[in-house]
Every structure is written in C-alpha cells, then in structure tokens.
Amino acid sequence: MSTEKESQCNEEVLKETENKKEAEAPEDAQEDAQGACEVKEPEDDQNVKYLRLMADFQNYKRRSEKEKADIYVYANEKLVIELLDVMDNFERALSCETDASDSYAEGMLLIFQSLKAVMERAGLAEIEGLGVDFDPNVHHAVMIDAGTGYESGKVCDVIQKGYKLNNKVIRPGMVKVAE
C-alpha cells in the first residue's frame, strides 16, 4: 500500500511542477510557438509548391506518353483510308461475272485477299451492315426502303462498306434502312 501512495504522491508533485512551469513562462511558450509557425509556413508553402510541380510533371509525362501511343496507333490512318478506295474497286471488279476458269480473275482474287489480310493486320475491321440494327455511330443512312422484309430500323442494304481502324470509325457504312 505504501508504494501506491508514494506513486500517487510522485504523480501529484510532477503535475504541480509542470503547472508551475507553464504558469511562469506562458508568454515565452506562445512566442516560441508563433515563431515556429512562422518558420513552418514558408516551408509548407515550398512543400505544397513542390508537390504540385511534381504532380504537374507526372501528368505531363502521362499525357505525352498517351499522345505518342496514339500517334503510333493512328499513324497509318490516312494511308488506310486511301487504300479503302482500292479495296472497293477490287470488290467491284471481282463481283463482275467471269468464267470460272479465268486465271486473270483468280489472280485478282488472290491479290485482293492479300491486300485485305495486310489491312486487317494493320488493325482494319469491317463494320457489320446487312440485317443489323441501324447505329448512327457507325452507319450513314442514305435511303429508307419500305418494301423490304426487314424489321423497322434494320439495315436492309449496304451501299458502301464501313470500316474501323483500331476500334475508331474511319469510314461509316453507307446503308439503306428499312422503314
């Protein structure tokens, strides 16, 4: 029991001495605290400026990397758009009736298939047309047809094929829509 009383006494004495020290120099403590705050404010401003500058730089790096990747992905876009006309002409030429044994037609077909494979490896994809719902994001309606067996709002004829390059529409399909 005596040890408990002694420890309580010691705690009370410590509290009293702390209170006396605080009472004797409250002005000095306040001045020191204000001085510390004044010193910390410029440091905090500098830290905030540094953090913002660092965040801006990271955003710049991220944005420039994305732009470089986009340039790489879409660098061939202009060339592919020009070659789409060539592909259309090949399809028109191949759709004409010729003799089945005509080696010239077979050669044209092989060249067309080779061109189409190269374009697909470059990221070109044909947009579905016939029988699908009309989508103004990928289709361009040039006619409305009332006498077809298709449901209303469905594509009933494809006049010119549409294409996407790496999931970006580079040429919408020109279609006829059922009324």
Side-chain angles (χ1 to χ4, degrees):
M1 280 230 125
S2 65
T3 56
E4 287 179 18
K5 288 182 182 179
E6 286 177 8
S7 64
Q8 285 178 354
C9 252
N10 288 338
E11 287 177 12
E12 289 176 12
V13 169
L14 285 174
K15 285 181 185 177
E16 287 177 15
T17 55
E18 287 176 5
N19 289 338
K20 285 181 184 177
K21 286 181 184 177
E22 289 176 9
E24 289 175 358
E27 295 171 5
D28 293 339
Q30 288 176 356
E31 288 175 9
D32 289 343
Q34 287 176 353
C37 289
E38 289 173 6
V39 172
K40 287 184 181 181
E41 285 179 12
E43 289 176 5
D44 289 343
D45 288 343
Q46 288 177 350
N47 285 338
V48 168
K49 286 180 184 178
Y50 172 74
L51 291 174
R52 287 184 188 207
L53 182 64
M54 197 160 107
D56 287 341
F57 182 69
Q58 287 175 348
N59 289 337
Y60 167 75
K61 280 177 54 178
R62 202 173 307 129
R63 187 175 43 252
S64 64
E65 287 174 7
K66 184 183 181 307
E67 288 172 357
K68 285 179 186 177
D70 288 346
I71 288 171
Y72 177 74
V73 169
Y74 297 110
N76 298 328
E77 182 176 354
K78 189 173 183 178
L79 178 65
V80 169
I81 290 172
E82 296 287 327
L83 287 174
L84 288 179
D85 293 333
V86 175
M87 286 182 59
D88 290 340
N89 290 333
F90 262 113
E91 287 179 342
R92 284 187 205 102
L94 292 171
S95 67
C96 295
E97 292 183 27
T98 59
D99 295 335
S101 64
D102 190 10
S103 62
Y104 182 74
E106 289 177 26
M108 292 284 285
L109 180 63
L110 291 174
I111 292 170
F112 174 70
Q113 289 173 343
S114 175
L115 176 63
K116 192 173 181 178
V118 168
M119 299 288 271
E120 287 173 354
R121 281 194 302 265
L124 187 72
E126 188 177 317
I127 296 171
E128 293 184 32
L130 194 60
V132 299
D133 289 332
F134 174 75
D135 182 3
N137 296 318
V138 295
H139 298 123
H140 179 74
V142 292
M143 297 175 77
I144 296 176
D145 196 3
T148 62
Y150 290 96
E151 296 176 20
S152 178
K154 297 275 186 181
V155 175
C156 60
D157 190 20
V158 177
I159 298 166
Q160 185 181 37
K161 290 181 179 180
Y163 291 95
K164 290 182 178 183
L165 180 63
N166 298 319
N167 294 323
K168 177 185 175 186
V169 176
I170 58 171
R171 184 171 85 180
M174 293 172 63
V175 297
K176 188 187 298 186
V177 181
E179 187 173 31

